Amino acid sequence: MSNYFDEHDGVATASPADQPATADPAGPTPPRSNAAVRRLVILGMIAVVAVPVAVSEIPREIAKWYAAAAMEKYLDGDLPAAVQVMDQAITWDDANADHYRLRGQWRREAKDYEAALADGNRAVELASQDAQNYIERTQTLQHLGRHREAIDDWTKVIGMSESQSTQFSKILGAGSEIAHLYNGRAYARSLGNIEPDLGLKDVQRAIDHFGEHPAYLDTRGHLYYQLGKLQQARADLDAAVDGYEAINARWSKEVESRKNQVVDLRKLDLELRERRLNLAVIRYHRALILQKLGLQTEADADLKRVRELGYEPSEHLF
């Protein structure tokens, strides 16, 4: 029996001469069209590509769910639970720098500084062009007393800002961004008492860009304190305290006025807590200066205010 290859169906069939004479009662089978075959091939190719991609996305999507749940725990004020749930997010997606940065921040708040630094290092390793990863790491390095390394990180971020537009440019504006970064490096110098004269130059750059914000006055005052220029230090800290008390009072009123407009009040409370921390730090710095000046009664008033704001005066309050 001779065979031939049907170019339409692509299968070997018997030749017409060899077909039985009895007709098929159901009629002849219609040939499959070229268009239909092409559609099946295309769908098969899409499946070959899309299915593995979809499967690979599943762990990342699960990680996002855990990360969102961890943030809920954090906003609820349950720091240990927030860290534990973020552990699960990282188990599902261990290449997401944001997860490590957040867990590092929370571990730092829990005073687990070595673990926080490990997370900070991993975030930088995964996303070395994200300035926020370096800034978060500086905070942990300072708690560990590794101020020189913190200064190096600030220097890197300043270089990144000056060579390209970073996320801070979009949020704060170019002038505010560079002022924030120069102040950050100056503050690291003040905490470590490392080349405070260079710190004064940095904070002056910040003031030139943005003006005498209380945060910058606090930095400059603390640098003067490290240099033993106590009267200049007190003048800056007096202005910083007055300025930030006013800011804090305005913000507290704004929080009250916005409570009916905000879906999640926990986020407003978080912002208010951060502002209280800033005020507590400034009060603590002034207390140090007042103690050096022999004005213990005034220093005690500042320390009392720090505790009223919910913080304990210590070298880790910054």
Side-chain angles (χ1 to χ4, degrees):
M1 181 184 294
S2 64
N3 292 329
Y4 76 96
F5 192 80
D6 189 311
E7 66 180 359
H8 296 293
D9 291 344
V11 294
T13 61
S15 67
D18 295 326
Q19 295 296 329
T22 305
D24 186 346
T29 301
R32 186 180 299 160
S33 70
N34 287 340
V37 173
R38 283 196 297 271
R39 281 197 296 271
L40 287 173
V41 171
I42 291 170
L43 287 173
M45 292 173 65
I46 291 173
V48 167
V49 175
V51 170
V53 171
V55 171
S56 70
E57 282 298 318
I58 290 174
R60 283 192 282 271
E61 290 303 315
I62 294 174
K64 289 178 184 177
W65 184 88
Y66 274 114
M71 180 57 73
E72 289 294 311
K73 294 292 185 183
Y74 178 70
L75 291 173
D76 286 338
D78 192 344
L79 196 56
V83 171
Q84 289 175 2
V85 178
M86 189 61 82
D87 291 345
Q88 295 299 313
I90 290 173
T91 297
W92 283 97
D93 183 5
D94 63 356
N96 189 314
D98 292 342
H99 297 343
Y100 286 100
R101 185 174 67 239
L102 270 176
R103 190 175 69 176
Q105 176 190 331
W106 298 342
R107 282 174 160 174
R108 185 174 67 247
E109 289 184 28
K111 298 180 173 56
D112 189 358
Y113 300 127
E114 292 291 348
L117 181 58
D119 279 343
N121 289 339
R122 180 63 174 150
V124 167
E125 178 185 344
L126 289 169
S128 60
Q129 296 307 308
D130 189 338
Q132 188 62 43
N133 290 332
Y134 293 96
I135 291 174
E136 281 296 327
R137 188 169 69 176
T138 65
Q139 311 308 303
T140 303
L141 288 168
Q142 288 166 176
H143 280 289
L144 288 167
R146 295 164 65 170
H147 302 288
R148 174 63 70 183
E149 293 168 75
I151 292 167
D152 290 342
D153 271 356
W154 278 113
T155 299
K156 185 171 185 62
V157 173
I158 289 170
M160 292 168 65
S161 176
E162 290 177 339
S163 64
Q164 63 188 19
S165 176
T166 68
Q167 64 266 46
F168 294 105
S169 298
K170 301 171 186 175
I171 298 170
L172 303 172
S176 301
E177 173 194 1
I178 200 65
H180 170 77
L181 302 181
Y182 277 127
N183 182 66
R185 186 168 66 180
Y187 195 53
R189 291 188 186 281
S190 75
L191 291 176
N193 195 15
I194 297 173
E195 301 166 326
D197 286 328
L198 293 180
L200 286 175
K201 291 180 180 179
D202 271 346
V203 76
Q204 189 57 51
R205 290 189 185 102
I207 291 171
D208 290 343
H209 279 287
F210 194 73
E212 292 190 338
H213 188 279
Y216 304 161
L217 293 176
D218 170 52
T219 299
R220 190 171 69 181
H222 198 258
L223 286 161
Y224 281 141
Y225 165 76
Q226 297 288 27
L227 289 165
K229 299 179 179 181
L230 298 181
Q231 293 301 331
Q232 290 165 282
R234 182 178 180 181
D236 272 347
L237 264 298
D238 284 346
V241 167
D242 291 344
Y244 220 96
E245 284 283 10
I247 290 172
N248 194 56
R250 287 197 302 271
W251 181 250
S252 297
K253 291 179 181 178
E254 185 176 343
V255 166
E256 289 300 319
S257 67
R258 290 170 57 191
K259 279 187 174 179
N260 294 329
Q261 306 168 13
V262 177
V263 175
D264 194 341
L265 295 178
R266 296 172 304 171
K267 293 183 179 179
L268 276 180
D269 290 338
L270 180 61
E271 290 183 57
L272 185 57
R273 190 164 75 241
E274 289 173 351
R275 290 175 182 271
R276 285 175 176 160
L277 171 60
N278 291 337
L279 178 55
V281 169
I282 292 173
R283 284 276 191 172
Y284 171 60
H285 287 166
R286 187 171 70 173
L288 295 176
I289 295 165
L290 292 170
Q291 287 174 333
K292 281 281 188 179
L293 289 169
L295 302 171
Q296 191 59 48
T297 300
E298 295 178 50
D300 288 342
D302 270 339
L303 296 176
K304 179 182 178 182
R305 177 66 173 135
V306 170
R307 294 186 177 96
E308 289 172 350
L309 290 164
Y311 297 92
E312 188 62 29
S314 79
E315 62 181 359
H316 289 288
L317 183 58
F318 55 80

